[in-house]
Amino acid sequence: MLPVMFKNSWFPTVFDDFLNTDLMPRANSTAPAVNVKEDEHAYTMEVAAPGIKKEDCQVNINDDGNLTIHIENKTESHDEDKQHHYLRREFSYTNYEQSYTLPEDVESDQIAAHVENGILTVTLPKKAKEEPKKLTRQIEVG
């Protein structure tokens, strides 16, 4: 006699109901918002990462000539209640890395970055435009 296999449809939902609750929130896997603006002299990237400091950020040009932004933020907060001798710790760890293809008109050795109010701003200066050479000229007849 062969054993009979039953498909229990309740099995996955029991774990889903247990794990997918407000008691066990899901990890936030969203990337920070990035704004890119352009004027006649430069492109400017703004990466929103609240709570970051300049020590948390790395901005590099990789071997392929692409801009790489790496943000790593670790925070730890303590909340202590002396009356009940209760100590609560909350850890937060954020790691973000993204590579961007640079436009051809960017002066890559002049790229600058700074952090202010939780926003990483990367300035990508444009190469100076060359004036087209004038081909018309007066030729003196001798």
Side-chain angles (χ1 to χ4, degrees), residues 21-53:
T21 66
D22 291 337
L23 298 175
M24 296 183 73
R26 295 180 185 189
N28 185 0
S29 61
T30 59
V34 178
N35 294 334
V36 180
K37 54 187 174 180
E38 176 186 13
D39 62 26
E40 61 188 58
H41 303 291
Y43 300 96
T44 304
M45 294 179 66
E46 299 169 332
V47 181
I52 63 165
K53 300 175 289 262

Side-chain angles (χ1 to χ4, degrees), residues 127-140:
K127 294 178 182 176
K129 292 183 180 179
E130 295 180 15
E131 293 289 323
K133 294 181 180 179
K134 294 182 181 180
L135 297 176
T136 59
R137 63 186 176 103
Q138 181 67 36
I139 301 172
E140 193 172 317

Side-chain angles (χ1 to χ4, degrees), residues 28-35 46-50 52 69-71 94-98 100 118 120:
N28 185 0
S29 61
T30 59
V34 178
N35 294 334
E46 299 169 332
V47 181
I52 63 165
I69 296 176
H70 178 80
I71 300 172
T94 305
N95 190 12
Y96 168 76
E97 185 169 338
Q98 181 71 42
Y100 299 93
L120 170 65

Side-chain angles (χ1 to χ4, degrees), residues 100-111:
Y100 299 93
T101 303
L102 295 175
E104 292 179 9
D105 62 342
V106 169
E107 194 72 56
S108 61
D109 58 341
Q110 300 295 318
I111 295 174

Side-chain angles (χ1 to χ4, degrees), residues 8 33 48 64 67 76 82 95 113 117 130:
N8 292 328
D64 296 327
L67 179 74
E76 178 181 339
K82 300 266 185 199
N95 190 12
N117 298 327
E130 295 180 15

